[in-house]
Each structure stands twice: as C-alpha cells, then as structure tokens.
Amino acid sequence: MANKASQQINVELKNNAALSFLPHPNVPHQQSSFSSINNIYLNTYHHLVWSDIITCGRKLSREEFKFSRCQNVTNIFLNGKLVVRENVLLQPLKNDVHLLGQLEGFTHQSTLLFLGDKANTEKISAECYAMLSGIENITFGISALPVNGLIFRILGFKGGCSYLI
C-alpha cells in the first residue's frame, strides 16, 4: 500500500432484514494510504449494526501513526434517500492526531452505527452510556441520528475501544 489502496462495499437490506457488520480493526502500515467507502441501502423495516475501528498502525513494529492517510466513509440510505454520512479521516503525517479534537493521545478510534426502525434508542443510549461510563481508559460519545438510530464514537488504547463492539 505504498501508493494507495481502496475498497468499496455496497450493501442492500430488503424489508425486515438485519445485518451486523463487525470487522477486524484497520491496521494501517507505514506510509500507507487507504480509503474505503461503504454504501448501505435500507428499506422501511430494518436493523443495522455497523462498525469501524482504526488503530494507530503496527505499534510493535514502531509504526505508530506512520501511515499517510486512512479514511472511512459510510453512507446510509433509507428508501433511496441519504440519511447518514460518517466520514473519518486521519492524516497523521499532516495533522497531529494527539491534539484536542483529534485522537487526544488515544491509539484506537471506534465508530459504531446502530439503526433500527422499531428500536427504543433513548433506552439503548442510556444503558450504553451507563455501561461505557464504568470502563477505564476510554472516552466516548453517543449521538442520536436524524433517523431512528445512534452513533457511538469510542477512543481507547489497544482493544479497549472495542468493548461495545
């Protein structure tokens, strides 16, 4: 990946379908440039759990934040209309990822998207907040989506940000 690597995933969920996609973390190598685009098409009745984890790189090979670019874009369409766009872009050779508003000293960043047409998102958010609040060495945020769903962002060390996932 010294030049550039990319992938595109297209998923279509029919009515009354469910999908949980929890892949292994992205581990960018030194000088690599990687981008992915995920397009998810949902119909009226749906249940989706979608996750991304980006690590600092191959830490044991002394390649912590030595990659040039890592970008994950996730687009979620509901009945053909774009309702969520999540864009995570890390360029540690251009921007200090340790600054406030970036990774703030953490080594792993996890995003989890949850959409469910019949889900009680207020209850799920409260329960997850209580659970995550008890975990040391992470920071997190939970936000409501413009449709019935939530987005979770967790910063941690090693596999610590994947507790929810």
Side-chain angles (χ1 to χ4, degrees), residues 116-155:
D117 63 304
K118 297 177 183 157
N120 182 341
T121 56
E122 287 184 25
K123 180 180 178 186
I124 293 168
S125 178
E127 289 174 356
C128 289
Y129 185 88
M131 178 191 70
L132 291 169
S133 293
I135 300 172
E136 293 183 17
N137 298 318
I138 67 166
T139 190
F140 68 92
I142 304 170
S143 299
L145 295 174
V147 292
N148 198 46
L150 300 166
I151 183 169
F152 299 80
R153 176 85 37 121
I154 303 171
L155 298 176

Side-chain angles (χ1 to χ4, degrees), residues 84-105:
V84 175
R85 171 171 282 153
E86 172 66 4
N87 184 2
V88 176
L89 173 62
L90 296 176
Q91 298 180 97
L93 301 181
K94 285 186 178 180
N95 303 313
D96 186 353
V97 295
H98 300 293
L99 295 176
L100 185 65
Q102 296 290 314
L103 295 183
E104 302 179 15

Side-chain angles (χ1 to χ4, degrees), residues 1-5 29-34 66-69:
M1 288 195 329
N3 293 322
K4 184 178 179 182
H29 294 206
Q30 186 169 342
Q31 298 180 349
S32 67
S33 177
F34 175 73
K66 300 281 177 129
F67 56 94
S68 60
R69 186 173 193 273

Side-chain angles (χ1 to χ4, degrees), residues 22-135:
L22 309 169
H24 289 284
N26 292 329
V27 183
H29 294 206
Q30 186 169 342
Q31 298 180 349
S32 67
S33 177
F34 175 73
S35 63
S36 68
I37 298 175
N38 308 301
N39 295 308
I40 305 163
Y41 300 89
L42 305 175
N43 286 296
T44 303
Y45 306 107
H46 58 273
H47 183 88
L48 174 71
V49 176
W50 188 272
S51 169
D52 269 323
I53 299 174
I54 300 174
T55 72
C56 60
R58 299 187 305 179
K59 189 172 185 172
L60 296 178
S61 297
R62 294 180 166 48
E63 292 182 10
E64 189 170 333
F65 296 113
K66 300 281 177 129
F67 56 94
S68 60
R69 186 173 193 273
C70 185
Q71 182 176 24
N72 288 330
V73 177
T74 301
N75 299 307
I76 301 176
F77 299 84
L78 179 57
N79 296 319
K81 179 182 175 188
L82 180 64
V83 294
V84 175
R85 171 171 282 153
E86 172 66 4
N87 184 2
V88 176
L89 173 62
L90 296 176
Q91 298 180 97
L93 301 181
K94 285 186 178 180
N95 303 313
D96 186 353
V97 295
H98 300 293
L99 295 176
L100 185 65
Q102 296 290 314
L103 295 183
E104 302 179 15
F106 291 98
T107 58
H108 290 56
Q109 189 255 267
S110 173
T111 301
L112 184 128
L113 292 157
F114 167 75
L115 286 86
D117 63 304
K118 297 177 183 157
N120 182 341
T121 56
E122 287 184 25
K123 180 180 178 186
I124 293 168
S125 178
E127 289 174 356
C128 289
Y129 185 88
M131 178 191 70
L132 291 169
S133 293
I135 300 172

